[in-house]
Amino acid sequence: MDLSLLATLGVIHSVALMSPGPDVAMVLRVASSNPPRVALLTATGISLAILLHTLASLTGLSLIIQSSPWLFGLVQLAGASYLGWMGLGALRGALAQWRARSDGAFSRAAPLPLSPFKGFTLGLATNLLNPKALVFFLTLFSALITPQVNLATKSAAAVLLLLLSLAWFCLLALLLTKPGFQAWLKRMQLPIDALTGGLFLLVSVGILGNLLLGLLT
């Protein structure tokens, strides 16, 4: 087993996990108005999606998808549409809260708690349908996992990335659902929804822009 390779993968993945993006934004939004169990299941959904991306890259499935223009284009379109839909939903929520606050009825605009299953599926879909995640893992493994790397190292890499993902997102979920943090997050729900919606829309527009550019060239 190549321990130096695993260490390199772990460091790169850890930096990527902690970088602001749709995954962190989703955990933040769910944790702001839901119990710890729901936030933890959102974190689990994101981590499972990361495992699926890892396995797809290790088995060559991601390479097949990216090497097929129409198939990769379809993946990009589906992912951008989902992220855009989530972004618009978050912005609509922020607008509803702003209107309620203006009318002096802000408490009635508080979002209803999600079911545990809904929290899980939101986390799973947010990462799994993000084409940027597919490209990231494909690029990472293409650069570091050569044909000479044995099965034990590949298996260990998949387990390592899963455990790191679970550790980070579950820690984040637990921290953000602490009573003190959650009370502050609830007061900040409007800007959180606005920023989350803006981030999701920005990623969506970026993906669609690259897709359109590819079609025109």
Side-chain angles (χ1 to χ4, degrees), residues 140-199:
L140 178 63
F141 285 107
S142 296
L144 296 178
I145 304 294
T146 64
Q148 289 72 37
V149 175
N150 58 39
L151 179 60
T153 301
K154 291 179 180 179
S155 301
V159 173
L160 174 64
L161 268 57
L162 172 63
L163 292 178
L164 287 173
S165 303
L166 280 171
W168 166 246
F169 287 116
C170 287
L171 177 64
L172 190 62
L174 287 173
L175 177 64
L176 294 176
T177 50
K178 290 290 185 182
F181 269 106
Q182 196 169 56
W184 179 79
L185 289 173
K186 285 181 179 179
R187 293 195 298 270
M188 297 295 293
Q189 188 68 50
L190 194 158
I192 287 173
D193 280 355
L195 289 172
T196 301
L199 174 63

Side-chain angles (χ1 to χ4, degrees), residues 194-212:
L195 289 172
T196 301
L199 174 63
F200 274 65
L201 277 179
L202 185 64
V203 174
S204 175
V205 170
I207 294 170
L208 290 175
N210 288 334
L211 181 58
L212 181 60

Side-chain angles (χ1 to χ4, degrees), residues 40-126:
L40 285 172
L41 283 171
T42 300
T44 303
I46 293 171
S47 301
L48 178 59
I50 288 173
L51 175 62
L52 294 176
H53 278 300
T54 300
L55 295 176
S57 297
L58 288 173
T59 58
L61 179 59
S62 294
L63 182 60
I64 293 173
I65 293 174
Q66 194 177 37
S67 61
S68 172
W70 70 269
L71 185 56
F72 187 49
L74 187 62
V75 169
Q76 288 180 297
L77 182 60
S81 299
Y82 173 77
L83 294 174
W85 176 72
M86 291 297 298
L88 288 174
L91 290 177
R92 284 197 298 268
L95 181 60
Q97 291 174 64
W98 178 78
R99 287 174 174 169
R101 178 177 288 180
S102 299
D103 295 338
F106 181 65
S107 60
R108 294 202 300 268
L112 294 175
L114 300 173
S115 69
F117 178 74
K118 181 65 173 179
F120 174 78
T121 55
L122 278 175
L124 180 68
T126 297

